[in-house]
Amino acid sequence: MDQGVKRIMLAGVGGQGILLASRILTSGLLKAGFDVKSSEVHGMAQRGGSVVTQLSYGKKVYSPISGAGAVDLLVTLEKLEALRYVHFLKKNGSLLMNAKEIPSLPVLIGAAEYPADIEERLSSYPISLYTIDADREAEKLGNLKVMNVVLLGAMVKLAGLSELVDWPSVVAESVKPAYREINLKAFTAGQNLV
Amino acid sequence: MEKVILSGNEAIAQGAFQAGVGLGIGYPGTPSTEIIEVLEKKKGPECAWSINEKVALEQAYGACVTGLRSLVTMKHVGVNVAADPLFTFAYMGVNGGLVIVTADDPGMHSSQNEQDNRWYALHAKVPMLEPSDSQECIDFTALAFELSERYDVPVFLRMVTRVCHSRSVVEIDPEQKYVRQVRDYERNVPKFVTLPAHARARRVILEENLNKLTKDQAAKGINRMEITDRDIGIITSGAAYNYVKEAFGDRYSVLKLGLVYPIDQEIVYEFARQVKKIYVVEELDPYLEFNIRALGVECEGKKYICPFYELNPQIVAASLSKAGLEPLEELDPAAEEPAANVPVRPPILCAGCPHRSFFYLAKREKVTVVGDIGCYTLGAAPPLDGIDVSACMGGGYAIALGLTLNPPEGKKIFGVVGDSTFYHSGITGAIDSIFNKRHFVPVVLDNRITAMTGHQPNPGSGQTLSGEETFMQEPRRIFKAVGYDRVMEVNAYDLQKLRDAIREAKETEERVAIVIKSPCRLLKGVEKGTVPEIDKEACQQCKACLRLGCPAISLGSEGYPVIDSLGCAGCGVCKQVCKHDAIKEKEQEVEK
Ligand SMILES: Cc1ncc(C[n+]2csc(CCOP(=O)(O)OP(=O)(O)O)c2C)c(N)n1
Ligand code: SF4
Ligand code: SF4
């Protein structure tokens, strides 16, 4: 922890493209000369459940995961997941939240209510909160699926990593040629949002 | 050499490829699954999904007898299934190297228990290597094959979720060619045929080999002392090593054990001489702690460290703070507690999943359901709430058999398994039912694939791991062959027929089985049907459709259900549960 390790956590809902975002970020950090470790969750949770990946980078990284209270930057692809994982942040950590609401099963069937006051509740924490609408940006670009890369653009900027490596080429290498252009646009759009 | 990022699973495949493995085989199970999938893509080794872990291990052993190096992979509970041959293979020894990956799941991310499989090493007398990161996964895999051949024993690689699914930097040679390692086969009856007299002789040889192995320089090389402090030393291994180093850096001395069975006594004694006080940091059971104490070395571990669930650097730091150790970083969290009143987000069956209708109906037809492990276990969660008991693969039928002796509330017992589970170990329960004349209704939810673990082919899929066409099993034929009078094959999306089948099976004295045949919604070629919509004039707000737990149907703000046209798979099940005819196909044609 002394070793200047930075910790990022991504949270979302199975199927939102969280793994790709985290893998592109990992490749970029490696190119930038950092030691990197990341941790993914596969299996059960992917069936529409809450999904988390974690990533640590620095000069020397030992642990791919970190516990509650230790994360520098929390990025959530959905609002409820921001509330679920906000306690993983350090005091004065940053939360980048996509303004998307995806009701979970209890909400769908009317057994629970989707909290209406998520922003308010989050703003009572000693953190910096950044809310963006990555889905709308992706929609503007004509493909909802690139929402994850819009968020990636924003998180790279928030983490102060924009200048460390040629991100457009990292993004381009990580996606199929046919989707390069739109992903690059998505990345830039994300950078401009924060 | 090139620096790349690999997951632990990818790294094991890389290590096995570099070691010239001849056969990679396993049965899928999180977190082990990707090893075989990645190895298969590398081209060179023979690779296959077996029908269960025991058959996988036995095949791997057969290949190793002929002189091939074999890698067999499974999740922790899979080793229970493979345990019978495992214990005896240890006596018999190998010819080509035999490496068994056990992928444990502390914290039960995707498992029914969190058993600590290090005990299997001790119990079966199978040496065990435990890597901490992806580079070690490559290196230890190569070493495991060498040790296996040098000391004539199978060797375990013990993985955990956070090593399997963590990605870290490794060095590989991207130009590396595949060179298959093969040893000559010599017929050797005293070694390979375990008559009691042979086994007694092998028992002694095994003990000698284990002793020699602890003196092997390469094996010793993966146990490492990092002496930075004379007062306090921490003994650890695997994932826990990462947490210790991140929590304490070089503040305390560390003994990292790469070989967790057999334990190298010399290095433990040496470490005990170097430091005054020893703590043991390990996830789950006090396996190292017991073994180190048994060497007469005083240490403390589980007194401070939680014996269940996963660890992480912060838990390790906080736990050992209680013993007076000082972590590098003072934790200053944004909040002391998780936020309150956050609705849970459990995994759910996909929109249009073929498993949904059975559980919906079973509950309404008032039968007792013994379930099993797969996507369909999610049929136990509300609102479907359609499973009474579920434990382990194959149990769906065999536990049901036991329930027939004293059926709760006199209800008919239905045993429900997926297709992969049916071939894995379901079949045996069905045969036992016929044999002992204990009648329950075996149901196969045949979606033609092993879905839960990421869509691996099984004997009913019609293709092998590499995509090659093969014979396609039909549960119907198997039921017929073992003595069932009648097998009802039903489409999952035809609610009326499915209800009739359940009712008939409930009443009849005949030996009947039900096969519900509809492919997993996520398979290639499964087309989206027509998306229905709610007719608000007809809807009586009875919420019957919401009880399907389909993620595409939600309760809208006006009290009417709403169908999300993007998420909906157009399976048509909701239309059939609506008694008011309020769920209708849209007037205009929807795009496919
Ligand atoms: C002994 C054992 N091996 C492997 C697993 C991992 N596992 C859990 S569910 C599952 C697949 C079940 O497939 P299937 O029965 O076809 O059901 P589906 O997921 O397709 O609905 C597997 C392999 C396990 N839980 N236990
Ligand atoms: S992956 Fe297939 S079997 Fe599993 S829940 Fe989805 S549709 Fe059902
Ligand atoms: S047709 Fe109805 S039950 Fe089927 S996926 Fe669509 S909303 Fe869900």
Side-chain angles (χ1 to χ4, degrees):
Chain A
M1 308 184 191
D2 217 3
Q3 300 109 336
V5 172
K6 290 277 176 210
R7 310 192 190 99
I8 299 180
M9 177 165 171
L10 284 84
V13 179
Q16 278 192 301
I18 202 167
L19 285 190
L20 180 68
S22 128
R23 287 188 182 182
I24 301 177
L25 184 62
T26 311
S27 309
L29 289 165
L30 178 66
K31 281 219 168 109
F34 288 110
D35 187 18
V36 195
K37 280 191 177 160
S38 70
S39 172
E40 304 172 345
V41 167
H42 296 234
M44 193 85 167
Q46 285 182 309
R47 302 270 168 270
S50 170
V51 178
V52 170
T53 73
Q54 291 198 3
L55 188 149
S56 298
Y57 63 98
K59 232 176 115 209
K60 169 75 191 162
V61 176
Y62 286 103
S63 174
I65 57 165
S66 28
V71 169
D72 296 283
L73 169 61
L74 170 65
V75 181
T76 74
L77 286 70
E78 200 273 345
K79 281 169 63 180
L80 195 55
E81 299 313 300
L83 204 52
R84 193 183 316 286
Y85 294 108
V86 62
H87 65 288
F88 271 77
L89 279 173
K90 284 179 181 165
K91 189 178 274 176
N92 303 325
S94 303
L95 169 57
L96 170 64
M97 177 172 79
N98 184 23
K100 171 87 175 168
E101 293 187 2
I102 303 178
S104 68
L105 188 73
V107 176
L108 286 175
I109 63 175
E113 261 183 55
Y114 195 97
D117 55 353
I118 293 181
E119 275 96 342
E120 267 171 75
R121 286 175 69 182
L122 290 173
S123 59
S124 72
Y125 286 82
I127 57 169
S128 310
L129 172 64
Y130 304 85
T131 309
I132 65 172
D133 193 339
D135 283 80
R136 198 183 55 204
E137 287 305 312
E139 214 171 345
K140 276 199 249 164
L141 292 170
N143 188 343
L144 256 177
K145 285 205 173 132
V146 298
M147 173 275 286
N148 54 354
V149 177
V150 174
L151 265 159
L152 176 72
M155 86 175 98
V156 163
K157 182 143 172 218
L158 273 185
L161 298 166
S162 299
E163 307 305 320
L164 288 182
V165 20
D166 178 12
W167 286 101
S169 77
V170 177
V171 173
E173 279 167 25
S174 311
V175 299
K176 289 205 182 104
Y179 295 99
R180 256 176 212 159
E181 205 185 311
I182 185 160
N183 276 291
L184 288 177
K185 283 188 187 153
F187 185 84
T188 313
Q191 290 246 301
N192 294 334
L193 284 178
V194 288
Chain B
M1 293 302 248
E2 195 178 295
K3 271 194 180 181
V4 295
I5 296 231
L6 292 185
S7 71
N9 280 349
E10 290 165 343
I12 298 253
Q14 176 69 26
F17 177 82
Q18 288 175 202
V21 72
L23 172 67
I25 193 164
Y27 182 72
T30 315
S32 70
T33 313
E34 300 81 15
I35 301 172
I36 295 298
E37 291 176 330
V38 172
L39 188 61
E40 192 275 330
K41 292 212 174 65
K42 291 187 184 294
K43 302 298 170 200
E46 292 289 327
C47 289
W49 285 127
S50 186
I51 64 154
N52 69 32
E53 292 86 353
K54 177 176 187 286
V55 177
L57 176 59
E58 287 162 341
Q59 275 187 71
Y61 189 73
C64 112
V65 168
T66 71
L68 293 178
R69 287 186 161 183
S70 321
L71 177 79
V72 50
T73 70
M74 57 197 69
K75 69 183 285 159
H76 58 343
V77 288
V79 181
N80 301 336
V81 177
D84 179 23
L86 172 73
F87 281 68
T88 307
F89 291 161
Y91 287 25
M92 295 164 74
V94 304
N95 180 22
L98 174 62
V99 174
I100 305 158
V101 177
T102 165
D104 296 9
D105 190 17
M108 296 161 279
H109 295 279
S110 309
S111 306
Q112 64 267 45
N113 75 27
E114 60 171 4
Q115 65 187 55
D116 186 334
N117 275 7
R118 292 176 300 172
W119 298 110
Y120 263 116
L122 179 75
H123 195 182
K125 304 185 185 307
V126 172
M128 178 178 272
L129 276 51
E130 191 178 19
S132 299
D133 60 19
S134 298
Q135 185 63 55
E136 286 189 352
C137 286
I138 297 183
D139 300 343
F140 286 17
T141 303
L143 178 62
F145 279 110
E146 281 167 31
L147 294 176
S148 172
E149 289 176 359
R150 219 176 286 152
Y151 299 101
D152 196 13
V153 278
V155 173
F156 265 128
L157 280 173
R158 193 234 185 186
M159 302 282 280
V160 294
T161 301
R162 300 304 186 174
V163 177
C164 290
H165 290 156
S166 288
R167 299 164 67 78
S168 61
V169 183
V170 298
E171 285 198 4
I172 58 165
D173 172 7
E175 304 294 305
Q176 174 109 30
K177 294 263 175 337
Y178 173 68
V179 185
R180 185 172 289 192
Q181 299 288 319
V182 192
R183 289 174 144 197
D184 293 335
Y185 168 71
E186 264 177 61
R187 192 160 181 269
N188 187 346
V189 172
K191 173 175 165 67
F192 289 127
V193 180
T194 49
L195 293 169
H198 296 167
R200 281 193 287 272
R202 293 297 310 178
R203 177 73 186 82
V204 179
I205 297 173
L206 170 60
E207 214 64 30
E208 290 166 359
N209 284 336
L210 291 173
N211 270 329
K212 283 188 217 151
L213 189 144
T214 49
K215 300 191 174 61
D216 183 283
Q217 280 314 309
K220 279 175 166 303
I222 60 171
N223 300 323
R224 183 173 76 225
M225 278 197 285
E226 300 169 7
I227 302 294
T228 53
D229 181 56
R230 292 292 167 186
D231 291 323
I232 290 174
I234 299 173
I235 301 184
T236 184
S237 70
Y241 167 79
N242 298 330
Y243 309 149
V244 166
K245 290 300 282 188
E246 186 154 328
F248 302 109
D250 297 334
R251 194 161 275 182
Y252 307 111
S253 296
V254 170
L255 169 58
K256 177 188 191 299
L257 294 175
L259 182 67
V260 294
Y261 179 80
I263 288 180
D264 175 11
Q265 310 185 6
E266 278 175 27
I267 200 162
V268 174
Y269 289 135
E270 177 57 27
F271 191 64
R273 275 192 292 274
Q274 300 264 1
V275 298
K276 287 195 191 116
K277 168 94 197 167
I278 294 179
Y279 295 96
V280 179
V281 178
E282 55 191 325
E283 226 163 28
L284 303 179
D285 296 343
Y287 167 85
L288 294 176
E289 192 178 340
F290 274 23
N291 281 288
I292 290 162
R293 286 238 177 90
L295 294 174
V297 172
E298 244 182 81
C299 59
E300 284 185 321
K302 291 296 158 185
K303 184 174 167 193
Y304 300 106
I305 311 262
C306 181
F308 48 83
Y309 298 168
E310 269 193 318
L311 300 179
N312 64 42
Q314 287 67 35
I315 293 175
V316 170
S319 307
L320 288 186
S321 292
K322 286 184 239 145
L325 275 67
E326 289 172 17
L328 294 182
E329 190 181 310
E330 190 83 40
L331 203 61
D332 190 9
E336 292 301 328
E337 297 284 329
N341 301 325
V342 182
V344 293
R345 190 184 299 278
I348 36 177
L349 295 173
C350 302
C353 174
H355 297 332
R356 181 169 281 109
S357 51
F358 174 79
F359 294 107
Y360 179 83
L361 292 173
K363 180 163 176 176
R364 282 152 188 83
E365 294 304 319
K366 304 205 174 4
V367 296
T368 297
V369 175
V370 181
D372 207 300
I373 316 257
C375 282
Y376 53 97
T377 316
L378 299 173
L384 289 170
D385 189 21
I387 298 177
D388 296 274
V389 184
S390 166
C392 56
M393 291 193 76
Y397 288 175
I399 294 174
L401 269 176
L403 264 77
T404 61
L405 293 171
N406 183 20
E409 296 167 44
K411 290 185 201 163
K412 185 96 174 204
I413 313 292
F414 280 56
V416 182
V417 307
D419 48 332
S420 193
T421 305
F422 180 72
Y423 303 113
H424 178 280
S425 51
I427 290 174
T428 41
I431 301 176
D432 197 312
S433 160
I434 301 290
F435 174 42
N436 284 307
K437 301 199 273 188
R438 300 200 206 292
H439 296 311
F440 73 101
V441 181
V443 179
V444 184
L445 300 176
D446 187 1
N447 63 358
R448 305 265 109 182
I449 204 81
T450 317
M452 175 93 268
T453 45
H455 300 92
Q456 292 75 29
N458 66 47
S461 305
Q463 53 170 309
T464 64
L465 166 61
S466 58
E468 209 180 301
E469 250 184 65
T470 184
F471 184 85
M472 192 192 274
Q473 295 289 352
E474 291 288 353
R476 172 179 46 82
R477 277 202 301 262
I478 295 172
F479 279 125
K480 280 284 191 189
V482 302
Y484 284 82
D485 302 318
R486 201 143 58 91
V487 184
M488 299 187 256
E489 267 186 5
V490 210
N491 176 336
Y493 302 110
D494 188 336
L495 245 57
Q496 192 51 49
K497 286 231 174 73
L498 184 52
R499 189 182 288 115
D500 290 347
I502 295 173
R503 286 188 181 161
E504 240 184 287
K506 222 167 84 174
E507 304 305 333
T508 183
E509 295 294 311
E510 275 183 310
R511 292 170 295 212
V512 291
I514 300 178
V515 180
I516 302 174
K517 268 180 82 162
S518 297
C520 164
R521 241 25 238 202
L522 303 189
L523 289 187
K524 274 206 192 98
V526 177
E527 281 187 19
K528 181 165 170 151
T530 316
V531 176
E533 64 185 353
I534 309 281
D535 175 352
K536 287 190 188 162
E537 271 164 36
C539 177
Q540 305 291 312
Q541 303 192 334
C542 71
K543 299 188 186 168
C545 54
L546 287 166
R547 285 178 209 116
L548 282 169
C550 172
I553 314 178
S554 59
L555 188 60
S557 48
E558 304 153 45
Y560 293 102
V562 183
I563 293 177
D564 163 21
S565 60
L566 266 179
C568 167
C571 76
V573 167
C574 54
K575 271 196 306 205
Q576 300 169 60
V577 302
C578 178
K579 293 197 176 70
H580 308 289
D581 217 7
I583 306 183
K584 298 197 171 109
E585 282 182 18
K586 281 191 185 155
E587 299 289 311
Q588 70 275 40
E589 252 312 293
V590 269
E591 276 178 76
K592 279 253 166 108

